[in-house]
Amino acid sequence: MVEVETEVGPLWLERGAEILTPTVLETGRWQPDMSDLVARLVRPGMTVIDAGANVGFISVQASKLVGPTGHVYCIEA
């Protein structure tokens, strides 16, 4: 595992991952189109379900956006 600084804060990623880890290491982002959509739609107090959460990039982003009055549920098969 390697700790990577991202635009949503530090995340632990699998060192040997061939796509996700190098992309996040290089850009600090993962799935910019989805991340931008989440930033536009999620508001304080909302409940968000991140189905297919993977390493939790969107989950962490959503948790910051919903704040202390909201909830984020993360599901990864």
Side-chain angles (χ1 to χ4, degrees):
M1 299 295 279
V2 60
E3 185 176 13
V4 178
E5 189 59 43
T6 73
E7 67 180 18
V8 299
L11 291 177
W12 285 96
L13 304 178
E14 183 182 342
R15 185 179 302 277
E18 295 181 12
I19 297 173
L20 188 141
T21 302
T23 300
V24 176
L25 277 169
E26 183 179 321
T27 66
R29 300 187 86 193
W30 179 243
Q31 297 179 316
D33 54 338
M34 184 61 69
S35 182
D36 292 346
L37 179 65
V38 168
R40 287 195 309 270
L41 297 177
V42 176
R43 297 289 174 252
M46 291 179 84
T47 296
V48 175
I49 299 172
D50 185 359
N54 199 328
V55 298
F57 189 95
I58 298 296
S59 302
V60 173
Q61 178 189 18
S63 72
K64 293 176 183 227
L65 294 168
V66 300
T69 60
H71 296 87
V72 177
Y73 298 95
C74 315
I75 304 161
E76 178 55 47

